[in-house]
Amino acid sequence: MSDAVVVSGLGFVTSIGHSRASVSEALRALRHGLAPWVAVPGVEVAVKLAGLLPGFEVGASNPAAWSWPEEFQIDASVARPMPPHGVYVLAALQQALGEARLSPEILRDGATGLYCASGGSARTLHQHLGKLEASGWQRAHPHGVISSVAGALNFHLAALLGIRGASCGFVSACSSGSHALGFALDEIRLGRQQRMIVVAAEDLNAESALPFAGMGALSAASDPVLASRPFDRGRDGFVPTGGAVVLVLESESSAMARGVRALARMLGWGQACDGHHVAMPQPEGRGLGDAMRMAMGDAGLTPVDIGYVNAHGTSTPAGDRAEARALTEVFGGHRVPVSSTKALTGHGLSLAGLMEAGFCVLALDEAFIPGQAHLREPDEDSARLHLPRETLRQQPRVVLNNSCGFGGSNVSHVFSSAHS
Amino acid sequence: MHNERVLISTSCAIDFLNYGQRAVRAFNQAMPVSTEFAAKSPAQIEEALVGFEPSCVAAALRYRESGEFEDFWTMLPGIIAFHLPRSAARPPAVLEDEMRLNEDLGLDSLALTEMAFLLDEVFQLSIETRDVVGVATVGDLKAFLKRKLETR
């Protein structure tokens, strides 16, 4: 198909803002969303900080006690059987569908699909299984499955929106959201769907975050400025966050038919696996390098065309080192600005790739390049990168978004400005 | 099996309607509130019923004191309202026995099982999910709950 694929709607519930305007402002000012976090009330744990979601109270085991900022019109009956991150999704969905001006009739037209990414809710599963075991395995709550498993988002949203096109969930750890977006692009380019609602979300609670401490992946720092510092010599792990991002992707003709403005174009994507280790990246970032080259090839571009890279950069020693090496190998002498916005947001796991795709779209639509926050002294691999310390007030033409997940899964996207 | 359950439930509903107020009171005197529910403080009951309509919570508190089926039954519109898949569709304030739970009130089978789970958890009615198969109308539900209260 010759029709371009564009982004026509965005919705954010993130630690740096619950609206497009607040997220954009935080990216420009490099204002982080990390704050002291009590993962388990009354218990001292190794993790001191998180990217919090102020105004969203979804910690109670009884969903009827959950609450959210009043600007979001969320039906409590719809939210109740969902995992806690479902509430974030409903708020982000409201924004994205509003911006893309997608009516209920269009969502049900069969030409609209839905791809979701989430690790499920370990918390809800924990609670339901705990109660089931306590009952001698006799009393299972009817919502035990649909409020907790990894497909919960697509189950609920497909029914809620009346989706009759494609519907699927993606589970590739921290590249899940990026996989969802990449395959959504293919659905449109193959002519199977005119538009795709792409959703990525995660809980933020003890069950979602603390298991990563057992792998040594979490920062033990208590100073927000020192905790998430991708590419810095002193980094010691990631800071957890949750939230939701919704992105509407559609053919340009579909958006134009409704008179909706394109925020950016999505030109291509690529994925490649390290084939190396269950949790560690291949030290030279081999798979990520391949994914970046594939994405640029898919877009018909080369490294010199790229004006900004939103790095995966979680602030773990091994992950950032492998990515720095991959970027150096792929971009060679081309001095492309690179930053990891996880310095500001924390790491959203399945959410991360789509959240950062959303940030790339904002950068293209509003003409800025997010700087690398919290960087004091790059290590020797990172020192080869161009890591601007402040946000640059300039229009990037083409940007690349990286994500990496467990099992050596790597995904890259390429977007361009819709202004050109 | 499904039809058989419906017949049994309908029969119970007719029996119940013929009881009259005196019979209900006699029945209530014979079947007090569960020990576990009676032991709950008003605050704990309000916590268990967070999100429910105030009139429903008030009826639950009355039921805790009186043990009357009338108070128990007064809770039901609020309990049904809470379990509807969409809040926008409100049930009628007065429930008629012939109203169909799904078609007329919007209570689908998943919502019905969730409601059964809550009634079991909060009021100790010993309801298993398969028990509610065949409960199709308000009358069925009334008879079903009566039976559960009797056999608790």
Side-chain angles (χ1 to χ4, degrees), chain A residues 388-400:
Chain A
R389 309 295 175 97
E390 302 291 334
T391 289
L392 307 175
R393 316 288 169 184
Q394 65 185 61
Q395 173 71 61
R397 201 174 63 80
V398 180
V399 307
L400 187 137

PDB file of all heavy atoms in Angstrom, chain A residues 388-400:
ATOM      1  N   PRO A 388      23.090  14.874  24.806  1.00  0.00           N
ATOM      2  CA  PRO A 388      22.891  16.279  25.209  1.00  0.00           C
ATOM      3  C   PRO A 388      22.311  16.352  26.619  1.00  0.00           C
ATOM      4  O   PRO A 388      21.354  15.649  26.933  1.00  0.00           O
ATOM      5  CB  PRO A 388      21.903  16.816  24.166  1.00  0.00           C
ATOM      6  CG  PRO A 388      21.266  15.620  23.552  1.00  0.00           C
ATOM      7  CD  PRO A 388      22.222  14.484  23.677  1.00  0.00           C
ATOM      8  N   ARG A 389      22.907  17.199  27.457  1.00  0.00           N
ATOM      9  CA  ARG A 389      22.464  17.260  28.860  1.00  0.00           C
ATOM     10  C   ARG A 389      21.168  18.041  29.022  1.00  0.00           C
ATOM     11  O   ARG A 389      20.511  17.929  30.047  1.00  0.00           O
ATOM     12  CB  ARG A 389      23.550  17.906  29.738  1.00  0.00           C
ATOM     13  CG  ARG A 389      24.940  17.300  29.578  1.00  0.00           C
ATOM     14  CD  ARG A 389      24.997  15.871  30.044  1.00  0.00           C
ATOM     15  NE  ARG A 389      26.310  15.274  29.781  1.00  0.00           N
ATOM     16  CZ  ARG A 389      27.293  15.185  30.657  1.00  0.00           C
ATOM     17  NH1 ARG A 389      27.132  15.655  31.863  1.00  0.00           N
ATOM     18  NH2 ARG A 389      28.439  14.628  30.319  1.00  0.00           N
ATOM     19  N   GLU A 390      20.855  18.878  28.050  1.00  0.00           N
ATOM     20  CA  GLU A 390      19.616  19.656  28.101  1.00  0.00           C
ATOM     21  C   GLU A 390      18.759  19.302  26.897  1.00  0.00           C
ATOM     22  O   GLU A 390      19.281  18.842  25.879  1.00  0.00           O
ATOM     23  CB  GLU A 390      19.927  21.168  28.064  1.00  0.00           C
ATOM     24  CG  GLU A 390      20.818  21.651  29.190  1.00  0.00           C
ATOM     25  CD  GLU A 390      20.129  21.598  30.541  1.00  0.00           C
ATOM     26  OE1 GLU A 390      18.882  21.679  30.568  1.00  0.00           O
ATOM     27  OE2 GLU A 390      20.831  21.464  31.560  1.00  0.00           O
ATOM     28  N   THR A 391      17.478  19.560  27.011  1.00  0.00           N
ATOM     29  CA  THR A 391      16.589  19.360  25.863  1.00  0.00           C
ATOM     30  C   THR A 391      16.922  20.383  24.782  1.00  0.00           C
ATOM     31  O   THR A 391      17.134  21.562  25.069  1.00  0.00           O
ATOM     32  CB  THR A 391      15.123  19.483  26.312  1.00  0.00           C
ATOM     33  OG1 THR A 391      14.821  18.329  27.102  1.00  0.00           O
ATOM     34  CG2 THR A 391      14.162  19.543  25.133  1.00  0.00           C
ATOM     35  N   LEU A 392      17.015  19.892  23.536  1.00  0.00           N
ATOM     36  CA  LEU A 392      17.375  20.754  22.415  1.00  0.00           C
ATOM     37  C   LEU A 392      16.107  21.302  21.768  1.00  0.00           C
ATOM     38  O   LEU A 392      15.171  20.547  21.497  1.00  0.00           O
ATOM     39  CB  LEU A 392      18.188  19.966  21.376  1.00  0.00           C
ATOM     40  CG  LEU A 392      19.416  19.213  21.908  1.00  0.00           C
ATOM     41  CD1 LEU A 392      20.056  18.379  20.802  1.00  0.00           C
ATOM     42  CD2 LEU A 392      20.425  20.193  22.504  1.00  0.00           C
ATOM     43  N   ARG A 393      16.082  22.599  21.535  1.00  0.00           N
ATOM     44  CA  ARG A 393      14.913  23.221  20.883  1.00  0.00           C
ATOM     45  C   ARG A 393      15.107  23.148  19.380  1.00  0.00           C
ATOM     46  O   ARG A 393      15.395  24.137  18.735  1.00  0.00           O
ATOM     47  CB  ARG A 393      14.752  24.673  21.328  1.00  0.00           C
ATOM     48  CG  ARG A 393      14.940  24.906  22.812  1.00  0.00           C
ATOM     49  CD  ARG A 393      13.770  24.350  23.607  1.00  0.00           C
ATOM     50  NE  ARG A 393      14.100  24.357  25.035  1.00  0.00           N
ATOM     51  CZ  ARG A 393      13.336  23.878  25.988  1.00  0.00           C
ATOM     52  NH1 ARG A 393      12.183  23.308  25.678  1.00  0.00           N
ATOM     53  NH2 ARG A 393      13.679  23.919  27.248  1.00  0.00           N
ATOM     54  N   GLN A 394      15.005  22.003  18.836  1.00  0.00           N
ATOM     55  CA  GLN A 394      15.151  21.871  17.391  1.00  0.00           C
ATOM     56  C   GLN A 394      14.235  20.773  16.870  1.00  0.00           C
ATOM     57  O   GLN A 394      13.868  19.855  17.609  1.00  0.00           O
ATOM     58  CB  GLN A 394      16.612  21.589  17.014  1.00  0.00           C
ATOM     59  CG  GLN A 394      17.138  20.263  17.505  1.00  0.00           C
ATOM     60  CD  GLN A 394      18.638  20.093  17.217  1.00  0.00           C
ATOM     61  OE1 GLN A 394      19.470  20.884  17.707  1.00  0.00           O
ATOM     62  NE2 GLN A 394      18.977  19.085  16.436  1.00  0.00           N
ATOM     63  N   GLN A 395      13.884  20.909  15.603  1.00  0.00           N
ATOM     64  CA  GLN A 395      12.937  19.972  14.984  1.00  0.00           C
ATOM     65  C   GLN A 395      13.681  18.743  14.474  1.00  0.00           C
ATOM     66  O   GLN A 395      14.449  18.828  13.518  1.00  0.00           O
ATOM     67  CB  GLN A 395      12.222  20.652  13.814  1.00  0.00           C
ATOM     68  CG  GLN A 395      11.343  19.729  12.981  1.00  0.00           C
ATOM     69  CD  GLN A 395      10.082  19.283  13.710  1.00  0.00           C
ATOM     70  OE1 GLN A 395       9.266  20.105  14.083  1.00  0.00           O
ATOM     71  NE2 GLN A 395       9.939  17.978  13.914  1.00  0.00           N
ATOM     72  N   PRO A 396      13.496  17.582  15.100  1.00  0.00           N
ATOM     73  CA  PRO A 396      14.063  16.379  14.494  1.00  0.00           C
ATOM     74  C   PRO A 396      13.192  15.974  13.305  1.00  0.00           C
ATOM     75  O   PRO A 396      11.974  16.153  13.329  1.00  0.00           O
ATOM     76  CB  PRO A 396      13.978  15.349  15.622  1.00  0.00           C
ATOM     77  CG  PRO A 396      12.838  15.804  16.468  1.00  0.00           C
ATOM     78  CD  PRO A 396      12.734  17.293  16.324  1.00  0.00           C
ATOM     79  N   ARG A 397      13.830  15.472  12.269  1.00  0.00           N
ATOM     80  CA  ARG A 397      13.059  15.065  11.086  1.00  0.00           C
ATOM     81  C   ARG A 397      12.658  13.593  11.200  1.00  0.00           C
ATOM     82  O   ARG A 397      11.536  13.213  10.906  1.00  0.00           O
ATOM     83  CB  ARG A 397      13.899  15.305   9.826  1.00  0.00           C
ATOM     84  CG  ARG A 397      13.072  15.402   8.554  1.00  0.00           C
ATOM     85  CD  ARG A 397      13.932  15.787   7.372  1.00  0.00           C
ATOM     86  NE  ARG A 397      14.944  14.790   7.071  1.00  0.00           N
ATOM     87  CZ  ARG A 397      14.727  13.657   6.393  1.00  0.00           C
ATOM     88  NH1 ARG A 397      13.514  13.387   5.952  1.00  0.00           N
ATOM     89  NH2 ARG A 397      15.705  12.799   6.164  1.00  0.00           N
ATOM     90  N   VAL A 398      13.631  12.780  11.632  1.00  0.00           N
ATOM     91  CA  VAL A 398      13.373  11.333  11.781  1.00  0.00           C
ATOM     92  C   VAL A 398      13.949  10.884  13.118  1.00  0.00           C
ATOM     93  O   VAL A 398      15.070  11.286  13.475  1.00  0.00           O
ATOM     94  CB  VAL A 398      14.030  10.527  10.637  1.00  0.00           C
ATOM     95  CG1 VAL A 398      13.741   9.043  10.806  1.00  0.00           C
ATOM     96  CG2 VAL A 398      13.545  11.006   9.278  1.00  0.00           C
ATOM     97  N   VAL A 399      13.209  10.073  13.858  1.00  0.00           N
ATOM     98  CA  VAL A 399      13.709   9.585  15.151  1.00  0.00           C
ATOM     99  C   VAL A 399      13.592   8.064  15.214  1.00  0.00           C
ATOM    100  O   VAL A 399      12.790   7.452  14.496  1.00  0.00           O
ATOM    101  CB  VAL A 399      12.950  10.217  16.340  1.00  0.00           C
ATOM    102  CG1 VAL A 399      12.958  11.736  16.246  1.00  0.00           C
ATOM    103  CG2 VAL A 399      11.537   9.708  16.434  1.00  0.00           C
ATOM    104  N   LEU A 400      14.410   7.499  16.072  1.00  0.00           N
ATOM    105  CA  LEU A 400      14.447   6.047  16.242  1.00  0.00           C
ATOM    106  C   LEU A 400      14.214   5.739  17.716  1.00  0.00           C
ATOM    107  O   LEU A 400      14.751   6.425  18.590  1.00  0.00           O
ATOM    108  CB  LEU A 400      15.814   5.531  15.769  1.00  0.00           C
ATOM    109  CG  LEU A 400      16.019   4.020  15.700  1.00  0.00           C
ATOM    110  CD1 LEU A 400      16.754   3.658  14.412  1.00  0.00           C
ATOM    111  CD2 LEU A 400      16.833   3.534  16.877  1.00  0.00           C
TER     112      LEU A 400
END
